[in-house]
Amino acid sequence: MMKLQRPLSLLLLWMLVLPVQASSDRPAGVPEAAKWARVDRVVDGDTVHTKDGTKIRLHGIDTPERDQPYGKQATRALDGLIKTKVYVLEKDTDRYGRLVAVLYTPEGLNVNLEMVCGGHAWWYERYARFDSDLEDCQESAQATRLGLWAEDDDPVAPWAWRRK
């Protein structure tokens, strides 16, 4: 009887310890509601497809279109940030059926914020009006002429480019 109690005790211990270890693997700054996903491909600077077929549009940012100046660089910047795995914090669904989300790297970086701070994206004020972090990042990138702000004194915003 003693032999049966020992494996059972170890099993109970593992059942208690494993969930704690799994949640402690989440980096600081990544919300608990964010889900782990594997990236299939980066479509452009603000759109990602995951391995399970989910199409994700990054919340609160807009990057140059592929045929727009700095479009390819924005796509490369996003690809360099996220690589193959991300945490996805769902925000909404857009009119095209894409999930609108904030992405986080496995290290805990807010990808949406990093894209704007690095000068690779605009703060999309229309959809993230009260996001002062995105606003501050854009102002800083403009002031220091990072990314797309270095290319042109008055770059055309993607939402204006799409209307052409």
Side-chain angles (χ1 to χ4, degrees):
M1 186 114 190
M2 194 63 133
K3 289 183 180 181
L4 290 177
Q5 286 180 341
R6 180 170 226 143
L8 185 57
S9 299
L10 288 174
L11 177 63
L12 288 174
L13 179 63
W14 278 110
M15 288 172 62
L16 294 172
V17 171
L18 282 178
V20 172
Q21 287 177 334
S23 65
S24 67
D25 288 345
R26 182 178 299 268
V30 175
E32 285 298 318
K35 297 175 183 154
W36 188 246
R38 295 181 59 84
V39 175
D40 183 39
R41 72 185 184 102
V42 171
V43 177
D44 58 26
D46 52 34
T47 308
V48 172
H49 292 177
T50 60
K51 294 276 187 186
D52 69 2
T54 305
K55 296 175 181 178
I56 301 173
R57 171 74 164 79
L58 275 67
H59 172 75
I61 75 169
D62 203 2
T63 61
E65 298 298 321
R66 283 180 271 178
D67 63 339
Q68 185 177 356
Y70 205 78
K72 288 181 176 89
Q73 293 94 320
T75 302
R76 282 194 300 269
L78 181 59
D79 192 43
L81 273 170
I82 63 173
K83 299 184 181 51
T84 61
K85 298 174 187 171
V86 291
Y87 286 97
V88 179
L89 180 62
E90 297 182 19
K91 290 292 205 172
D92 201 357
T93 302
D94 71 10
R95 63 183 176 190
Y96 304 108
R98 296 176 297 188
L99 176 68
V100 178
V102 177
L103 302 182
Y104 296 86
T105 66
E107 297 77 30
L109 284 176
N110 178 325
V111 173
N112 305 40
L113 196 59
E114 290 298 316
M115 288 294 289
V116 177
C117 289
H120 308 296
W122 272 263
W123 161 47
Y124 210 164
E125 183 178 2
R126 177 178 178 185
Y127 297 105
R129 180 167 292 134
F130 302 109
D131 195 324
S132 59
D133 290 339
L134 288 173
E135 180 181 16
D136 293 345
C137 272
Q138 180 170 309
E139 288 173 1
S140 176
Q142 285 173 310
T144 56
R145 300 186 58 77
L146 288 177
L148 65 94
W149 308 107
E151 300 283 316
D152 192 342
D153 288 338
D154 191 23
V156 177
W159 52 88
W161 182 272
R162 289 188 290 267
R163 281 190 232 134
K164 289 182 176 183

